Amino acid sequence: MERSLRAARVATYVYFVLCGTLMGAWVVHIPAIEDRVDISHATLGGLLVLLGVGAFTGMQVAGRLTDGLGVRVVVSASGVLCGAALVLPGLARDPWTLAGALLVFGFFNGCLDVSMNVHAVHVEKAYGRPVMSGFHATFSVGGVLASLAGAGAASAGLSAAAGMAAMGAVGMVIALASAGALLRAAPAAAETNPAEQEREQGRGRERARTEASPAAKRHGATGRVWLLAVLALMVMLCEGAANDWSALHLKDVLGASAGTAAFAYGTFAAAMTAGRLLADRLAARFGSMAVLRHGAATAAVGITLVALGPWMWAAFTGWALFGLGLSGCVPQLFSAAGHADPAAAGANVSRVAGLGYVGMLAGPAVIGWSTHLVPLNHAFVLLTLLCVTTAVASGVLRTGQDHTHVSEWAPSNH
């Protein structure tokens, strides 16, 4: 089991990188596709909404399919179909065909996103310790790979369609090759020692005497999952705002050059990646609630420094703290949703991921609308409020399985 579990963990990393690479392949080819289809930036912005609609729909469908068909089938099929759909935007010749292509590609990318996160929850359960943040850290590696591949394709003179077809084909092969290592079903939690098993059995008998009916428990779990989804919306809205407005903040508010301004997003992204590489160890030591609470509080300090600091060093420090603080928040929320009800892990993760994705899409627009009322840097105070709210509400992770989070995530030998 140890070797197969390690293989499943490696396969999960591969699918996270794959998902990031396929989405990144679309992003790096946007300028070429925009020229090919001959549309304006405004039209492209409207079409990108369809990409989001397709992804949101795919997330909801995949969540239920993973609970019904099994996570291995849905993850592998989603990876293959997402790779196949990548070429469609490159083949589009007018706004209508591009709209359909983005809907299809978004749908299968959403399916892959949710199903691989559900599989990550199962791997985490089998390991008996937090590993979710590490998976999320590798997603950004895919974006880097897509940038390198896109640059290579452009220098080789390949069209957008040819470049995306090549990357999609490689993605399909990788998805098929990695499918065999995926877990067939949700595993049991990591084993504990006999004394701990006896104590847990005693706690189970006590809970059986005092807890509500199964129907009431399911209702409570569903309500908790929706609260996790709302927190995901707020956290990912902050991420989306940073993605689109960090560089513009340095350029327009602080008067930085375009080259210097670009480092604002780089600072944010690097801090987020580094934080996710550390978050699993912190969650194992201090608990997921502490990671969410202190992470959101750190992010609030960082974005407040960005909003109110008039100096360049303050901006870079603020964006770094913002990325570092947010880094571990989303993985804790996804993990908690998946563990809330093992029988409905797919549906629960899809709710949290779906609402979080809405926040990611809405973040840039919300800040943009706010600039009609206040300067850009002052609009970031809204993000401070969202981070503070998340920190205050982090106690939701104390409920249910996470109540004994630190003791449950005992070190394993895997």
Side-chain angles (χ1 to χ4, degrees), residues 194-217:
E196 178 59 29
Q197 288 180 346
E198 184 177 351
R199 287 194 295 271
E200 180 58 33
Q201 290 172 358
R203 289 193 293 265
R205 289 190 293 268
E206 180 64 24
R207 285 194 296 268
R209 290 194 296 268
T210 60
E211 285 184 348
S213 67
K217 287 171 63 179

Side-chain angles (χ1 to χ4, degrees), residues 54-64 107 110-111 113-114 346 350 353-354 357:
F56 181 84
T57 304
M59 289 176 180
Q60 306 314 303
V61 172
R64 296 187 179 279
F107 178 85
C111 288
D113 194 318
V114 160
S350 70
Y357 191 77

